[in-house]
Amino acid sequence: MSTHMSSATAAPSSTENQQVHFRCFNGCEGEHSIYDVMYRCPTCDGLLEVHHPREPLQTKNAYQWKQLFDSRASTTAWPYGSGVWSMKEWVVPSLRNENVVSMCEGNTNLFWADRLGKQLGVPDLWIKLCGNSHTGSFKDLGMTVLVSVVKQMMADGSPVKAVACASTGDTSAALAAYAAYAGIPAVIFLPQGKVSTAQLIQPVANGAHVLALDTDFDGCMKIVQEVTADQSIYLANSMNSLRIEGQKTVGMEICRQFDWEVPDWIIIPVGNLGNISALHKGFKLMMDLGVVSKMPRLVAAQAETANPFYQSFKDQFKEKVSVKAQDTLANAIRIGDPVSYAKAVSAVKESGGLVEQASEQELAEAAAQADLTGMFTCPHTGVALAVLKKLVAQGQIKKSDRTVVVSTAHGLKFTDFKVGYHDSNLPGITSEMANPATNLPATAEAVKEEIKKRFGG
Ligand SMILES: *Cc1c(COP(=O)(O)O)cnc(C)c1O
Ligand SMILES: [Zn+2]
């Protein structure tokens, strides 16, 4: 099926380029091809965004879009079965299907957290489990788009020969997997000793060039930007706005899963602020196309030890705050100088959203409590759940509100955190809900005794 509209038939009412293109987020003049190696505005050095001219998208009405996407999700019709590529026309319509690099990402479960919701006083609580994805985090949603565009660039003769990123662990796992799937070399910069064992071993197993640097994420980010300055190595961090295009589909997918209804709140743990910007961008597109009629209130959840966005929010976003990020169990959001700051400010302001923070104790407790209702929560999701508790206590989130918590990674990537919690040896944390295994002699007698102790008898 051809999704490409030529401008000859589109009869554009303006002189605007009808192709999806990069433009400056701050509004500088100029449109740039998404197949050019470009990460920042050449005029003001600000962030770029991928702009979707609305006219070609108005060839279908809201009902037709919903029908089309509903009919594709979870099918095997290449590449439309993927949660991201089921919405290809809204993501990168000009990508040739043979260049799509997809491992069927997205279509993650959105489930009703019945017991936890009741415990927290918000019975209409839902968890969007983005960690149930190919590499175990939502980063897959963005990486499928970025690596697909790179594949098309290379097919069309671009000088790009490899992809690279700095990472707090999950970005590199996603990049390494998608690059290996496409047969493109990947270079990974990790802060030494600051990612989990699973996060480190993923790019190693996928054959990436893994460079562990004696610095933190923000230090890795500076170096990767220098290394990728010469156009032959393509930068895959979320400063690259192509990733936002894939990640924005999570909001669309949540709506689709609610039969195209919009929840009242979406809470998301944030670090570099790409994901919350993506959610906002997705909802804006859906509003413009009449697919939804309101925007959910977007809540950014930060760890207290790496909270520049929270600090800036507290000061009415008067200026960008940068901090030296301190250690946190939520290592994927240990970021002191967030790249997508300007976009995230719009996301919070335009959605009537909020920023709240959680301490290490609060995130560990919230994760443990959720686990006791059947989840297996990563520490970042713990931050979001702790923030949810606070907003309910503050009366911001009301009992009747429908709230979605975005669970950003799979708990199995963070077994060190789980083991530490239940062994009661996480530094500075009191494990109120620890449930360690009990060692017993292998006799029925001993077991009966233990069961009696636990259940009475
Ligand atoms: C990357 C990541 C985040 C933060 O997303 P940003 O776009 O950097 O704000 C949160 N949780 C997990 C598990 C992540 O991997
Ligand atoms: Zn600019």
Side-chain angles (χ1 to χ4, degrees), residues 28-187:
C28 297
E29 291 274 314
E31 298 173 358
H32 316 279
S33 166
I34 59 167
Y35 303 101
D36 284 347
V37 179
M38 185 180 290
Y39 318 113
R40 289 187 165 276
C41 171
T43 308
C44 73
D45 204 39
L47 294 170
L48 293 172
E49 69 173 351
V50 175
H51 178 60
H52 290 254
R54 299 301 195 243
E55 213 168 285
L57 297 178
Q58 278 149 2
T59 53
K60 285 190 187 10
N61 64 31
Y63 176 78
Q64 290 169 320
W65 283 123
K66 294 184 216 177
Q67 286 269 303
L68 179 66
F69 297 158
D70 285 341
S71 76
R72 285 173 175 170
S74 300
T75 62
T76 50
W78 177 264
Y80 303 106
S82 146
V84 173
W85 298 108
S86 66
M87 303 172 196
K88 185 169 180 242
E89 293 83 351
W90 289 4
V91 176
V92 188
S94 63
L95 201 63
R96 301 193 295 276
N97 280 356
E98 78 259 23
N99 292 325
V100 172
V101 181
S102 170
M103 289 185 277
C104 218
E105 49 291 316
N107 294 321
T108 53
N109 35 343
L110 172 66
F111 71 88
W112 182 32
D114 181 18
R115 270 185 76 209
L116 184 64
K118 282 186 186 132
Q119 287 173 14
L120 303 186
V122 271
D124 204 358
L125 174 64
W126 297 73
I127 310 289
K128 177 66 172 163
L129 266 189
C130 294
N132 284 8
S133 183
H134 186 70
T135 69
S137 86
F138 78 83
K139 298 291 198 294
D140 291 350
L141 303 177
M143 235 23 117
T144 182
V145 172
L146 182 139
V147 177
S148 298
V149 168
V150 171
K151 189 171 173 196
Q152 183 145 319
M153 288 163 70
M154 291 168 90
D156 293 345
S158 154
V160 167
K161 52 179 197 270
V163 288
C165 74
S167 176
T168 52
D170 291 326
T171 299
S172 47
L175 180 64
Y178 281 84
Y181 189 74
I184 299 169
V187 189

Side-chain angles (χ1 to χ4, degrees), residues 429-450:
I429 303 287
T430 313
S431 302
E432 310 262 1
M433 286 168 260
N435 179 36
T438 302
N439 295 325
L440 289 175
T443 66
E445 231 13 49
V447 171
K448 282 183 188 161
E449 185 74 8
E450 183 67 24

Side-chain angles (χ1 to χ4, degrees), residues 137-139 170 247 269-275 332-333 335 380 408-409:
S137 86
F138 78 83
K139 298 291 198 294
D170 291 326
Q247 287 171 204
V270 301
N272 229 348
L273 303 175
N275 218 8
I333 54 175
I335 292 173
H380 322 87
T408 44

